[in-house]
Amino acid sequence: MRSVFRILILFIFALVLSECKSHQENPTSVVAENPSALRLNYDVVYYTGGHSVLLNSGRLFARGLFYECKISDTNSNFESFRASSYTEDNSNDFRQLVSETDQAKFNSRQFQYFPIGENSRATVFSGCTKGSGAEKCYVRWEWQKEAFIFVFETQLENKKGLGTAELGKEFHEFVSRGIKAF
């Protein structure tokens, strides 16, 4: 009778353990979420306003992280973005969405500088290339606060035919609206 009771207890215990799997063990069961804020480091947060669907996030490398989001705001010219933060000492590990070699091939390139709080500025690079079909563009927004560098990037089809300066300014306004440093 004891052995039947022990087998029954072990069976129930095994059943409970099989039902208690975490999302980490089965990443396909993770549901996309609309976060209201993305923490970029200990004192910088990006508020999405709930208009972004988190597609992927995690540690990019030591003391650096990233978020990939799809923009659900229909008023935006941008469909998605990647937000990353890293430190100066691990900048060699950081990978941009578009390599610097490919950026050099853009027909039109533009660097712009916009003031941002704490007597600093954001640097915005925008560039486009004409291929078959619509013009493909890349926009990168960078800001350094102390040892941390924050980068927002996007790739898009320039369906509205905006110039690189206009795309850079619009992306700066999109990013700077949500950036909060404490």
Side-chain angles (χ1 to χ4, degrees), residues 18 21 23 31 36 40 75 77-79 81 84 102-103 118 132 143 148 160 163 165 174:
S18 69
K21 288 185 177 178
H23 291 294
V31 176
S36 61
L40 298 173
N75 294 327
N77 282 329
F78 310 106
E79 296 175 9
F81 69 89
S84 306
D102 290 338
Q103 290 174 31
E118 301 180 22
S132 60
W143 176 53
F148 280 91
K160 293 184 179 178
F174 171 79

Side-chain angles (χ1 to χ4, degrees), residues 78-154:
F78 310 106
E79 296 175 9
S80 64
F81 69 89
R82 183 174 88 165
S84 306
S85 67
Y86 62 94
T87 59
E88 292 173 326
D89 58 332
N90 59 10
S91 62
N92 292 336
D93 298 329
F94 175 72
R95 300 286 180 259
Q96 297 175 355
L97 281 175
V98 176
S99 71
E100 290 181 13
T101 305
D102 290 338
Q103 290 174 31
K105 296 175 185 174
F106 288 141
N107 296 333
S108 55
R109 295 183 291 170
Q110 179 83 39
F111 280 97
Q112 296 171 284
Y113 303 96
F114 297 96
I116 195 161
E118 301 180 22
N119 296 325
S120 63
R121 65 183 185 177
T123 304
V124 179
F125 170 81
S126 51
C128 297
T129 185
K130 188 76 169 165
S132 60
E135 186 176 45
K136 305 275 188 201
C137 297
Y138 166 73
V139 185
R140 181 182 68 246
W141 182 95
E142 288 186 21
W143 176 53
Q144 183 166 355
K145 182 180 186 310
E146 297 167 8
F148 280 91
I149 300 165
F150 303 96
V151 178
F152 283 73
E153 302 171 286
T154 189

Side-chain angles (χ1 to χ4, degrees), residues 18-50:
S18 69
E19 291 297 317
C20 293
K21 288 185 177 178
S22 72
H23 291 294
Q24 295 294 335
E25 294 173 17
N26 187 4
T28 58
S29 66
V30 175
V31 176
E33 57 182 287
N34 290 29
S36 61
L38 306 174
R39 180 157 294 282
L40 298 173
N41 78 349
Y42 55 91
D43 67 347
V44 175
V45 173
Y46 177 72
Y47 290 104
T48 66

Side-chain angles (χ1 to χ4, degrees), residues 55-74:
L55 300 175
N56 192 9
S57 67
R59 290 187 77 108
L60 188 57
F61 42 81
R63 292 190 312 197
L65 48 87
F66 72 94
Y67 300 95
E68 291 175 317
C69 295
K70 181 177 186 214
I71 300 168
S72 59
D73 182 3
T74 57

